[in-house]
Every structure is written in structure tokens, then in C-alpha cells.
Amino acid sequence: MLRTLCRAGGALLKNPQRTVPRLWVTPAQQRWASSLPMNTVVLFVPQQEAWVVERMGRFHRILEPGLNFLIPILDRIRYVQSLKEIVIDVPEQSAVSLDNVTLQIDGVLYLRILDPFKASYGVEDPEYAVTQLAQTTMRSELGKLTLDKVFRERESLNSNIVHSINQASDEWGIRCLRYEIKDIQVPPRVKESMQMQVEAERRKRATVLESEGTRESAINVAEGRKQAQILASEGEKAEQINKAAGEAQAVLAKAEAKAKAIRLLSDALAEQNGNAAASLSVAEQYVSAFSNLAKESNTVLLPSNTGDVTGMVTQAMTIYSTLAKPRPRAESVKMESEEEKNEELEAQSTLTQ
């Protein structure tokens, strides 16, 4: 029996190694899966790889990284799955947006195998299945958006595609990590219209900015004029207040001076020979006024005794003495009552007549 096993092992060593179908090949990277290893009883599995073992044509187990032992002839390594993150280029395809614009769009898909058993037995061609799912999901999501939103909401579009792929790929043991849109191409006419729209928007923005600048300039000029008028009125107000205050102070000063002069004059008149001094002053003023007659106007009113200076001075002093003489209040009240009675008697006599 041992001889038979040795012959079978030799036959296995002579047979060429079988290679794995190109499961995760991309045109840009030309990445090939590692070849299927032979059953040499003692096997060393690399890190981040999962070897699916079948025993007599039926799934047996998955070899973990490190040292593993298999039974020759009965056990066979059927699949080798990489647990690293895998990058797949999604081919360019055409899609129609919500506003009936045909777009040419492609992308990049990042995924990882979480369950080697489902990835080996759940789907025949994982690359083709995931690529087709990404393309159909992309067309479906683009059909829900207008052209303007496709460019603005690219991030939400990517997240929706990833969510849709993960819902379908759970049965395959594959997890989509992210999806990125590489390029979006629009028809030439649409591109020209978009360029015209951008130029019109820029012209509109420039016009708006220019009008806003004109408005701000007019507002600033009006504010400047307003402030200038306010300052001018405040200056005029302050000038009038200062002028009025100065005139009031001048009037007060004149009144104080006049009152002081009157007090001095009254003190002088109360002294001995005060009346003589007052008569002299009145005579001087009369002579001065008489000398200025007919200088400012041709019309002159003169009393009958213009040349009698002594009589004029005596008359002025008599008026002064009458005004200066104190009159008792009782006599004044009595005289007023007598005058009122006389007026009443005259009024009654007039009525009787």
C-alpha cells in the first residue's frame, strides 16, 4: 500500500501545475491569481490568502495561514482566494440622466473577500458579477439625477452605488468598500451649452457686482453729504448759541454797568450839592443835544422857549424832584378812591341828562 501511495505521489509531481482562472484581472494592472499549489502533504499557506480544500470532490475546509497537513490523492486545493483589498476598473458605459442627457461614465471599485467559501461557491465569476452589478447600479442611480446634480452630488452617488452593491454581494462573501467615479463625459453640444451657461453666469455675477458697487458708492456719497449737512447745521447751531450767549453776556454787562452807574449817580445826588451837579449835567446834555439839531434830519420839532436853558433845566429838575419824592401808600389809595367816586358821579349825571 505504501508503494502505491509513493507511485501516486510521483505521478502528481510529474503532472504540470494547474492554474487558477483569472478571477480578479483588470486590464490596467494585469494581475494574475497565484497558481494552485500541489498537495505535498505538508503545506505552508501565505498570509492574507485562503486555500479552499476539497476532499473527494466535496468541500472539506479552508486552510489558515501557516503550517497545514493534507492527505495525498484524497485532498485537493480547489480555490485560492486573496483576502487583500482588490481594485477593479469598471469599464466606461453610457447612461441617461433624468433630463435625458446621455453620459459616458466609468469608475473604480474597491472590494474585499470576507467569506472565501461564498466567494468560491456562491458565484461563478465574481469579477464579472460585481462589474455588471456596479454598471447597472450606476445607470439606475444616474437616471434619478439631473445633469447638474450629477456633478454636485457625486459623493452621494458613490455612497448609493456602494450600498446597492453590498446588498446584492452579501451572498457572494464579497464586501464593497467604496466606489469612485473616475470620469464623466458629456456630448459636445451639451458641453458647449454648459460653457455658455457658465459664461452667462459669470457675466451676470459681474453685472450684479458692478451694480452693487454703484449702489454702495451712491450710498456712501449720500451718507457723506448727510454727515456734512449734519456737521454744518451743528456748527451753525453752536455758532448761534455762542453768539446768543455772547449777546446775553454783553446785555448783562451793560445792565450791570448801567445799574452801577445809577447807584453811583444816586449816591452822588444824595450828597451835599448833589442837585447842583445834576443841574449841571442836564444843562450839558441839553447843550450837546441842541448842537446836534438838524444834522441827521431836516425835520426838527422845537419848543417855544428853545433858547431859555435855565428854564429847561429848572423844568427837568422839577420833574426829577416830583418823581424822587416818596408818596405814602394810604394817600395814594385815598386819592384813587376819590377819583373813582368822581368818575362814577360824572357817569350818573351824564345818564340823567
Side-chain angles (χ1 to χ4, degrees):
M1 184 176 178
L2 181 59
R3 185 179 297 176
T4 304
L5 291 174
C6 291
R7 289 178 181 177
L12 290 174
L13 291 174
K14 290 179 181 179
N15 292 333
Q17 296 181 355
R18 296 177 59 188
T19 57
V20 180
R22 193 171 57 180
L23 298 179
W24 304 104
V25 179
T26 58
Q29 298 176 347
Q30 294 293 330
R31 184 177 59 81
W32 291 75
S34 60
S35 60
L36 287 176
M38 294 186 305
N39 183 0
T40 56
V41 182
V42 179
L43 298 175
F44 297 95
V45 179
Q47 186 67 32
Q48 289 298 98
E49 284 191 4
W51 293 4
V52 181
V53 177
E54 292 182 353
R55 175 168 293 179
M56 292 182 293
R58 185 177 180 180
F59 172 75
H60 176 55
R61 67 189 179 100
I62 297 175
L63 300 183
E64 299 294 335
L67 178 63
N68 294 274
F69 297 94
L70 296 178
I71 299 175
I73 302 175
L74 300 180
D75 295 337
R76 185 169 65 116
I77 300 173
R78 186 69 176 85
Y79 299 100
V80 175
Q81 302 290 354
S82 176
L83 303 181
K84 299 177 183 179
E85 187 172 345
I86 301 169
V87 182
I88 299 177
D89 285 332
V90 179
E92 185 178 358
Q93 61 175 336
S94 62
V96 181
S97 63
L98 184 61
D99 50 356
N100 297 324
V101 178
T102 303
L103 303 176
Q104 298 293 329
I105 188 169
D106 58 357
V108 181
L109 186 64
Y110 299 85
L111 50 86
R112 176 175 293 171
I113 296 176
L114 301 180
D115 192 344
F117 175 79
K118 291 183 179 180
S120 301
Y121 298 99
V123 62
E124 180 66 26
D125 191 346
E127 177 188 359
Y128 179 76
V130 173
T131 303
Q132 292 299 315
L133 182 59
Q135 289 180 340
T136 55
T137 306
M138 186 190 303
R139 284 194 293 268
S140 175
E141 293 295 331
L142 285 175
K144 301 177 183 178
L145 302 175
T146 59
L147 180 61
D148 295 335
K149 290 185 178 181
V150 169
F151 294 99
R152 290 199 302 264
E153 300 182 4
R154 179 177 291 189
E155 185 176 355
S156 63
L157 181 61
N158 294 335
S159 62
N160 292 336
I161 293 174
V162 170
H163 180 69
S164 300
I165 292 174
N166 286 331
Q167 285 183 343
S169 62
D170 287 339
E171 299 296 329
W172 304 340
I174 299 172
R175 184 70 177 177
C176 180
L177 302 179
R178 58 190 178 277
Y179 180 85
E180 297 292 339
I181 297 175
K182 289 201 305 184
D183 190 16
I184 300 176
Q185 297 181 2
V186 297
R189 292 185 179 179
V190 177
K191 187 180 294 185
E192 291 177 0
S193 63
M194 292 174 63
Q195 187 67 26
M196 294 174 61
Q197 182 180 0
V198 171
E199 292 178 358
E201 186 68 25
R202 289 179 179 175
R203 287 196 297 268
K204 174 185 175 183
R205 192 178 303 173
T207 305
V208 171
L209 291 176
E210 184 178 359
S211 64
E212 289 180 355
T214 304
R215 182 171 64 89
E216 291 293 335
S217 176
I219 291 173
N220 292 334
V221 172
E223 287 290 338
R225 292 177 180 176
K226 177 182 176 183
Q227 293 295 330
Q229 292 179 357
I230 291 173
L231 293 176
S233 63
E234 290 180 354
E236 186 177 357
K237 176 183 176 182
E239 182 181 359
Q240 292 179 358
I241 291 173
N242 294 332
K243 185 177 180 181
E247 291 178 355
Q249 291 178 0
V251 170
L252 291 176
K254 289 180 181 179
E256 290 177 357
K258 189 173 182 179
K260 187 175 181 181
I262 291 172
R263 284 196 298 270
L264 293 175
L265 181 60
S266 63
D267 293 340
L269 292 175
E271 294 178 357
Q272 188 177 4
N273 298 326
N275 294 328
S279 300
L280 178 61
S281 177
V282 171
E284 289 178 355
Q285 292 180 4
Y286 179 79
V287 173
S288 177
F290 188 78
S291 64
N292 291 327
L293 290 176
K295 288 185 178 180
E296 296 180 356
S297 176
N298 294 328
T299 304
V300 180
L301 296 177
L302 297 175
S304 58
N305 53 351
T306 305
D308 190 2
V309 178
T310 305
M312 295 297 296
V313 171
T314 303
Q315 184 179 359
M317 293 304 296
T318 303
I319 294 170
Y320 169 74
S321 300
T322 304
L323 294 176
K325 185 184 293 182
R327 186 170 60 178
R329 181 173 182 79
E331 295 180 357
S332 61
V333 172
K334 184 176 181 181
M335 290 177 63
E336 289 178 358
S337 61
E338 290 179 354
E339 290 178 356
E340 289 179 356
K341 289 180 180 180
N342 294 329
E343 290 178 357
E344 290 178 356
L345 292 174
E346 290 178 359
Q348 290 178 0
S349 64
T350 303
L351 290 175
T352 54
Q353 291 177 0

